[in-house]
């Protein structure tokens, strides 16, 4: 769980609370411990057999040790039962260890079905209950609770983008934190995610009457963040793909995980603002040309997100973000060479992260591209 914590949960946390504090806190919290065991068991079960053997040997476990599906479901169900019971307890709802348990459990569910909207009251609904209750206190001062809150907030954005649904957390709780004053880089990354969450609401929340004025506000926020963010968010090296060598993806290197996350989040935000622009021509002779320009912009953005992932393999979540972008915009790609390159990223992600459902994603892409028909 330690490697997963550093690579997945602590991307924007200089103090690495999930890697350092969560395992210690789990000593005194059975619910948190069950969440860790559920996520760890699920992740272990997805590893190649050789990698499992290395872990078994490294930790001195008995030869032949396996993680069964029954074991995975046991810890998951135990944690769910605890959270459902405790969600109605006033004292428990403010327990920061339980907030961490919900965030970890949600990671478990994202491993299984990143594109499926769950109808059951699992960690998705639980996250909303706990995070709403603790938001004000979490944002009041830095520390463990605040670090967990931002992980949960980022999770909500990425899963809402993948499932193309509204943001389920009230954005008003973060409004005071969308400022342009000097701050550490991880704070700037969180500010960007707030803007991304607003874009999700604009695109997918049908209850809101948001027109061209709101769209312009979002574009202004997008531009303002780019103009005000520290120079450290600029890539250390960037190179366009060499078409003569058959390159598909640009090379874009960054110094830190939070810079990688911010770059790809900007790409996801650009996809939303491009696809849901209120200025799309509905009729007329220029409509086809305009739509072709939109598709070209979406393709370029996806290829850039993928280039960031391939150029920064030290940050495995970047590959998962690339896969989400690919699956969302797959129908914009008709060139066979590009399709094959994108499908290879899907395979690479599974090999290198060990928690991306490649078969489901592969089938979705092949169906969109008409392969096998």
């Amino acid at each position: 769980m330690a490697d997963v914590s550093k690579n997945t949960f602590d991307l924007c946390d200089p103090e690495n609370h999930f890697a350092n504090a969560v395992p210690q806190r789990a000593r005194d919290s059975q619910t948190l411990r069950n969440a860790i065991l559920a996520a760890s068991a699920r992740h272990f079960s997805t590893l190649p057999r050789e990698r499992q053997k290395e872990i078994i040997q490294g930790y001195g476990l008995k030869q032949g040790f396996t993680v069964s599906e029954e074991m995975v479901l046991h810890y998951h169900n135990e944690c769910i039962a605890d959270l459902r019971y405790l969600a109605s307890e006033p004292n428990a709802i403010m327990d920061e260890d339980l907030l961490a348990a919900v965030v970890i459990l949600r990671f478990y569910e994202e491993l299984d079905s990143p594109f499926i909207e769950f109808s059951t009251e699992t960690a998705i609904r639980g996250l909303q209950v706990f995070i709403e209750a603790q938001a004000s206190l979490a944002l009041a001062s830095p520390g463990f609770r605040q670090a967990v809150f931002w992980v949960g907030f980022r999770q909500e954005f990425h899963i809402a983008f993948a499932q193309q649904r509204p943001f389920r957390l009230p954005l008003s709780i973060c409004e005071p934190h969308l400022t342009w004053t000097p701050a550490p880089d991880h704070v700037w990354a969180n500010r960007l995610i707030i803007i991304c969450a607003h874009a999700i609401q604009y695109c997918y929340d049908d209850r809101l009457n948001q027109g061209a004025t709101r769209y312009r506000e979002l574009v202004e926020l997008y531009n303002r963040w780019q103009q005000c963010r520290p120079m450290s968010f600029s890539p250390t090296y960037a190179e366009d793909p060499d078409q003569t060598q058959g390159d598909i993806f640009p090379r874009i290197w960054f110094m830190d995980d939070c810079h990688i996350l911010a770059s790809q989040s900007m790409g996801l935000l650009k996809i939303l603002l491009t696809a849901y622009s209120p200025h799309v021509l509905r009729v007329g002779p220029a409509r086809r040309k305009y739509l072709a320009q939109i598709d070209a912009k979406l393709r370029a953005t996806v290829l850039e997100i993928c280039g960031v992932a391939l150029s920064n393999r030290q940050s495995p979540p970047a590959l998962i973000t690339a896969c989400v972008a690919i699956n969302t915009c797959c129908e914009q790609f008709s060139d066979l060479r590009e399709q094959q390159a994108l499908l290879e990223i899907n395979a690479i992600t599974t090999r290198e992260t060990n928690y991306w459902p490649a078969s489901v994603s592969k089938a979705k892409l092949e169906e969109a591209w008409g392969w096998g028909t």
Side-chain angles (χ1 to χ4, degrees), residues 313-327:
R313 303 279 265 271
Q314 75 277 13
S315 184
L319 283 168
I320 294 178
T321 302
C323 285
V324 169
I326 291 168
N327 277 267

Side-chain angles (χ1 to χ4, degrees), residues 58 62 67 81 96 115 118 137 141-142 145 169 189 193 204 213 221 248 302 329 364 369-370:
K62 292 182 180 180
V67 173
E96 57 188 10
F115 301 109
F118 292 93
L137 190 58
S141 60
R145 195 193 308 268
L169 301 174
I193 300 300
Y204 300 125
T213 299
L221 288 173
I248 299 290
V302 171
C329 299
K364 184 177 185 293
W369 295 332

Side-chain angles (χ1 to χ4, degrees), residues 220-240:
E220 289 172 3
L221 288 173
Y222 171 94
N223 293 330
R224 184 89 181 268
W225 190 91
Q226 281 192 307
Q227 294 163 1
C228 297
R229 56 135 177 91
M231 284 298 297
S232 52
F233 281 88
S234 300
T236 57
Y237 176 80
E239 179 181 70
D240 291 333

Side-chain angles (χ1 to χ4, degrees), residues 36 78 97 112 135 143 203 242 256 290 311 367:
I36 293 173
E78 286 292 310
D97 291 343
D112 280 357
C203 297
D242 187 346
D256 190 87
Y290 187 87
S311 302
E367 180 183 3

Side-chain angles (χ1 to χ4, degrees), residues 32-196:
L32 179 56
R33 188 162 61 250
N34 283 332
I36 293 173
L37 290 170
S40 298
R42 170 57 74 219
H43 182 241
F44 183 86
S45 70
T46 67
L47 296 174
R49 189 58 191 162
E50 289 303 313
R51 177 61 180 144
Q52 289 184 6
K53 289 180 179 178
E54 291 176 10
I55 293 175
I56 290 170
Q57 292 172 356
Y59 285 91
L61 300 174
K62 292 182 180 180
Q63 292 301 316
F65 172 83
T66 60
V67 173
S68 65
E69 187 66 16
E70 290 76 13
M71 184 186 300
V72 174
L73 292 176
H74 168 76
Y75 291 123
H76 176 267
N77 292 339
E78 286 292 310
C79 190
I80 288 290
D82 288 346
L83 289 170
R84 282 178 169 169
Y85 172 76
L86 294 169
S88 60
E89 297 290 328
N91 293 332
I93 202 71
M94 298 304 296
D95 189 320
E96 57 188 10
D97 291 343
L98 296 182
L99 179 62
V102 170
V103 168
I104 293 171
L105 200 64
R106 186 166 208 198
F107 169 75
Y108 166 99
E109 296 191 334
E110 288 177 313
L111 299 187
D112 280 357
S113 305
F115 301 109
I116 298 174
E117 184 173 351
F118 292 93
S119 59
T120 56
E121 284 191 7
T122 56
I124 291 178
R125 190 170 298 278
L127 174 63
Q128 183 168 335
V129 172
F130 282 86
I131 206 168
E132 283 188 35
Q134 299 190 39
S136 298
L137 190 58
L139 293 172
S141 60
F144 179 82
R145 195 193 308 268
Q146 186 175 110
V148 175
F149 169 85
W150 284 118
V151 174
F153 196 86
R154 280 203 316 274
Q155 282 180 326
E156 175 64 12
F157 164 62
H158 284 110
I159 198 68
F161 183 95
Q163 296 177 354
Q164 297 180 275
R165 63 157 176 78
F167 204 80
R168 288 200 175 122
L169 301 174
L171 296 181
S172 58
I173 59 181
C174 292
E175 284 305 307
H177 296 268
L178 185 52
T179 63
W180 314 107
T181 56
D185 285 1
H186 69 278
V187 174
W188 278 97
N190 290 332
R191 290 171 177 174
L192 175 59
I193 300 300
I194 297 174
I195 300 173
C196 292

